Amino acid sequence: MSLIIIGTVAFDAIETPFGKTDKIVGGAATYASLAASYFYDKVKIVGVVGDDFQKSDIDTFNEHGIDTEGLQIKDGEKSFFWSGKYHNDMNSRDTLVTELNVLADFDPIIPESYQDCEFLMLGNLTPIVQQTVINRLDKKPKLIVLDTMNFWMDIMMPDLLETIKMVDVLTINDAEARQLSGEYSLVKAAEKILQMGPEYLIIKKGEHGALLFHEDKIFSAPALPLAEVFDPTGAGDTFAGGFIGYMAKVGTVNFNNMKNAIIFGSALASFCVEKFGTEKILNLTQEEVAARVQEFVSLSSFTIEV
Amino acid sequence: MSLIIIGTVAFDAIETPFGKTDKIVGGAATYASLAASYFYDKVKIVGVVGDDFQKSDIDTFNEHGIDTEGLQIKDGEKSFFWSGKYHNDMNSRDTLVTELNVLADFDPIIPESYQDCEFLMLGNLTPIVQQTVINRLDKKPKLIVLDTMNFWMDIMMPDLLETIKMVDVLTINDAEARQLSGEYSLVKAAEKILQMGPEYLIIKKGEHGALLFHEDKIFSAPALPLAEVFDPTGAGDTFAGGFIGYMAKVGTVNFNNMKNAIIFGSALASFCVEKFGTEKILNLTQEEVAARVQEFVSLSSFTIEV
């Protein structure tokens, strides 16, 4: 039994109002696998990097118990590189550079040792590659979570819709839910999206928390109000990784476990934004995670006798 | 013991993507007092109208047990009139007409029978009039709640700051909290605003719920995701009225009761937007209110054993 996480493993150069970084390790699969590793010890990455990726970077994954057999290293090629600059409100950013490099013709390889996969996280990538991974697994996993973004809706909607059909949980933000459904009301948007295939829909609302939709049920998760957001890069991937890592840990797929998984994912994401890149989520203790989850409990609990 | 609600009592003409109304009764004190009347039976209005205001309109208040002795009727003058048109997303609107009429020289009268006031809701009005009401009460109420808006921050900030000093709870939206404090982070904004006088700050985030700040504590209340928002007019006033009506009912001012009051206020507001103007909140049953509050409980509850 294992949890496979597919997505970009990349270099990022980030500028925020608080400072800027040189090239640091980033990418959806990086954030998601690190987050998942706090809850589950059989996390396995599928991705691709160039030979500019250091052995020490791979060691970092392995030190968190993350299996990197499925991380291809392309000799003579360069890793995916993204550079962006956040505006003062931290809610919007400009992409300065996108160099696909090894990602341009990424053909995901699923090692034989990964065929015990029960939980699959499809991090943001082209819908075709995401489909390929599902098709290359001998057995359908117990839970497939798909993360995607407006970019794929703009240029590859038919492929994206095919991929969405194949998954159990879709995670997108509120603007993307509106774009995908053509509905402004998130309730109506969710109704339409749940008819596209997934049994569960998570709408991420950043500083406003997240909504989970399933059948006729809704769960509203709060976000932790933060004094300072230092760098939002990777927060969504960290959320998704914490979410599926917790689901893999508890093992049973149902609405109540998903509610908790959203809280654990939100807790990890709230750490992520406190420092640049992966810095904060590289070295958390279980005590810190538990204390942060407790903050979410205090934040949103009330007792009404109706 | 009673709850005084001061604010506009007005005529509105509203246009939304769902239709338009002729002049209907509106105004902050109208929405707030109707909402409060579901929880507390000694609600008293302070306001002013012209002789275009119908006896039947006043009867409506009285039928909800709302005392209108403090509602002045100015012969030969017209009531405050506002007309607005909502955009398709319902989150923004254009004001088409504002006729101050009787409001231009409103001098609030506190009848002797109102001097038993223990709870005071200062609905959105000029900060000077709001202050006048506080000063005309013989005894400081147990709880004073102040609602205001960016308009007064733009043109009367010094007066507004004076008024804010005199109250226990301030309710504003997120953009207004940022404007008032000069801080983008709502946590930092709240820190600064709580130093301006109020012990409690409620930041209203519309479809994203509300935040309550007190000392170093935060409560995040969800909003009920709605399939359709028919007319948002008065939702904030209804929230505030439900909030203080519930506080008056329970009688004890503390953080836990305020958390519940926010849920009850949010429940009333969620009804308000389902029909034009006050239509929906005129005829609710206690069973409907209780069922709606239960929806808020289901929406946001989760159980984590950390």
Side-chain angles (χ1 to χ4, degrees):
Chain A
M1 298 200 299
S2 66
L3 159 58
I4 294 182
I5 293 178
I6 174 170
T8 52
V9 177
F11 288 115
D12 293 341
I14 303 162
E15 190 174 340
T16 82
F18 296 100
K20 58 193 290 185
T21 68
D22 289 329
K23 280 189 180 187
I24 55 174
V25 176
T30 302
Y31 286 98
S33 63
L34 287 170
S37 75
Y38 286 93
F39 306 118
Y40 194 62
D41 60 1
K42 291 185 193 67
V43 179
K44 304 178 179 183
I45 278 191
V46 172
V48 63
V49 291
D51 60 9
D52 51 353
F53 209 72
Q54 305 294 308
K55 181 171 179 313
S56 60
D57 297 328
I58 292 177
D59 289 344
T60 302
F61 287 118
N62 299 151
E63 283 156 16
H64 283 81
I66 299 162
D67 191 331
T68 51
E69 193 187 341
L71 181 63
Q72 304 169 52
I73 303 171
K74 296 276 189 182
D75 279 337
E77 294 188 49
K78 287 170 73 182
S79 301
F80 175 55
F81 173 63
W82 175 82
S83 169
K85 181 179 172 169
Y86 288 87
H87 301 162
N88 280 330
D89 66 4
M90 289 289 202
N91 279 327
S92 54
R93 68 185 185 190
D94 293 326
T95 290
L96 305 176
V97 181
T98 306
E99 292 172 6
L100 283 181
N101 299 326
V102 290
L103 213 59
D105 55 357
F106 175 36
D107 186 34
I109 292 174
I110 311 291
E112 189 51 40
S113 68
Y114 280 37
Q115 290 294 351
D116 61 351
C117 169
E118 285 208 306
F119 291 83
L120 174 62
M121 170 77 229
L122 301 167
N124 179 40
L125 268 181
T126 116
I128 303 283
V129 171
Q130 292 174 320
Q131 268 183 53
T132 303
V133 172
I134 300 176
N135 291 329
R136 288 184 180 170
L137 288 171
D138 299 340
K139 217 180 66 181
K140 188 183 180 303
K142 195 188 274 189
L143 186 73
I144 305 178
V145 178
L146 173 71
D147 190 38
T148 188
M149 67 184 294
N150 55 349
F151 180 71
W152 308 114
M153 297 177 193
D154 292 339
I155 65 166
M156 296 182 79
M157 188 63 110
D159 296 300
L160 178 59
L161 289 174
E162 272 308 304
T163 309
I164 287 175
K165 251 190 218 167
M166 302 166 77
V167 308
D168 305 300
V169 183
L170 175 65
T171 71
I172 46 180
N173 69 30
D174 39 4
E176 289 157 354
R178 287 172 173 136
Q179 180 173 354
L180 182 60
S181 64
E183 292 284 350
Y184 184 81
S185 153
L186 295 181
V187 173
K188 287 189 180 175
E191 269 174 28
K192 281 201 180 172
I193 292 168
L194 290 178
Q195 285 168 3
M196 295 177 186
E199 275 201 65
Y200 297 87
L201 170 67
I202 296 172
I203 299 182
K204 300 172 286 184
K205 302 193 298 172
E207 62 163 331
H208 302 301
L211 295 171
L212 168 66
F213 293 87
H214 174 59
E215 294 168 352
D216 59 347
K217 294 195 284 288
I218 311 178
F219 171 59
S220 172
L224 196 67
L226 296 169
E228 232 149 55
V229 171
F230 197 82
D231 171 19
T233 309
D237 304 310
T238 302
F239 168 83
F243 172 82
I244 197 163
Y246 179 85
M247 288 305 296
K249 174 189 172 183
V250 297
T252 307
V253 175
N254 62 39
F255 189 68
N256 274 334
N257 286 341
M258 284 215 191
K259 295 204 292 188
N260 290 353
I262 285 178
I263 299 297
F264 279 91
S266 302
L268 265 291
S270 75
F271 282 120
C272 177
V273 302
E274 289 181 359
K275 294 201 174 170
F276 268 123
T278 58
E279 190 179 343
K280 185 80 185 188
I281 59 164
L282 277 175
N283 294 299
L284 294 168
T285 64
Q286 291 294 338
E287 289 68 32
E288 285 176 293
V289 174
R292 185 59 60 92
V293 167
Q294 192 52 49
E295 282 192 66
F296 277 79
V297 173
S298 306
L299 178 68
S300 56
S301 66
F302 58 93
T303 311
I304 285 179
E305 325 258 318
V306 180
Chain B
M1 299 203 299
S2 66
L3 159 58
I4 295 183
I5 292 178
I6 172 168
T8 52
V9 177
F11 288 116
D12 293 340
I14 302 161
E15 190 173 341
T16 81
F18 297 99
K20 58 194 288 186
T21 68
D22 288 330
K23 279 189 180 187
I24 56 174
V25 176
T30 303
Y31 286 98
S33 63
L34 286 170
S37 75
Y38 286 93
F39 306 117
Y40 194 64
D41 59 2
K42 291 185 193 65
V43 179
K44 304 177 178 183
I45 278 191
V46 172
V48 62
V49 291
D51 62 9
D52 50 354
F53 209 72
Q54 305 295 307
K55 183 175 176 313
S56 61
D57 297 327
I58 291 176
D59 289 345
T60 302
F61 287 118
N62 300 150
E63 284 157 16
H64 282 81
I66 298 163
D67 191 331
T68 51
E69 193 186 341
L71 180 63
Q72 303 169 51
I73 303 171
K74 297 276 190 182
D75 279 337
E77 295 189 48
K78 286 170 73 182
S79 301
F80 175 55
F81 173 63
W82 175 82
S83 168
K85 180 177 174 172
Y86 288 87
H87 301 164
N88 280 330
D89 66 5
M90 288 290 200
N91 280 326
S92 55
R93 67 185 186 190
D94 294 325
T95 290
L96 304 177
V97 181
T98 306
E99 292 172 7
L100 284 180
N101 300 325
V102 289
L103 214 57
D105 56 357
F106 174 37
D107 186 36
I109 293 174
I110 312 292
E112 189 50 39
S113 68
Y114 279 37
Q115 291 294 351
D116 62 352
C117 169
E118 284 208 307
F119 291 83
L120 174 61
M121 170 79 229
L122 300 168
N124 179 39
L125 267 180
T126 115
I128 303 283
V129 171
Q130 292 175 320
Q131 269 182 52
T132 303
V133 172
I134 299 176
N135 291 329
R136 287 182 182 171
L137 288 172
D138 300 339
K139 217 181 64 181
K140 188 185 178 303
K142 193 188 277 190
L143 186 73
I144 305 179
V145 177
L146 173 70
D147 190 37
T148 188
M149 67 185 292
N150 54 349
F151 180 71
W152 307 113
M153 296 177 194
D154 292 339
I155 66 165
M156 295 182 81
M157 188 63 110
D159 297 300
L160 178 59
L161 289 173
E162 273 308 304
T163 309
I164 286 175
K165 252 189 218 167
M166 303 166 76
V167 308
D168 305 299
V169 183
L170 175 65
T171 71
I172 46 181
N173 70 28
D174 40 2
E176 289 156 354
R178 288 175 172 133
Q179 180 173 355
L180 182 59
S181 64
E183 293 284 351
Y184 185 80
S185 152
L186 296 181
V187 173
K188 288 189 180 177
E191 268 173 31
K192 281 200 179 174
I193 293 168
L194 290 179
Q195 285 169 3
M196 296 177 184
E199 275 201 66
Y200 297 87
L201 169 68
I202 296 172
I203 298 182
K204 300 173 285 184
K205 303 194 298 172
E207 62 162 330
H208 302 301
L211 295 171
L212 168 65
F213 293 87
H214 173 58
E215 294 167 352
D216 59 348
K217 295 195 283 284
I218 311 178
F219 171 58
S220 171
L224 196 67
L226 297 168
E228 233 148 56
V229 171
F230 198 81
D231 171 19
T233 310
D237 304 311
T238 302
F239 169 83
F243 172 83
I244 197 163
Y246 178 85
M247 288 306 296
K249 174 189 173 185
V250 296
T252 308
V253 175
N254 62 39
F255 189 69
N256 274 334
N257 285 341
M258 284 215 190
K259 295 204 292 189
N260 289 353
I262 286 178
I263 299 297
F264 279 91
S266 302
L268 264 289
S270 75
F271 283 119
C272 177
V273 302
E274 289 181 359
K275 294 200 173 170
F276 269 123
T278 59
E279 191 179 343
K280 185 80 186 190
I281 58 164
L282 278 174
N283 295 299
L284 293 169
T285 64
Q286 291 295 339
E287 289 68 33
E288 285 175 292
V289 174
R292 184 59 61 94
V293 167
Q294 192 53 50
E295 282 192 66
F296 277 80
V297 174
S298 307
L299 178 67
S300 56
S301 66
F302 59 92
T303 312
I304 285 179
E305 326 256 319
V306 182

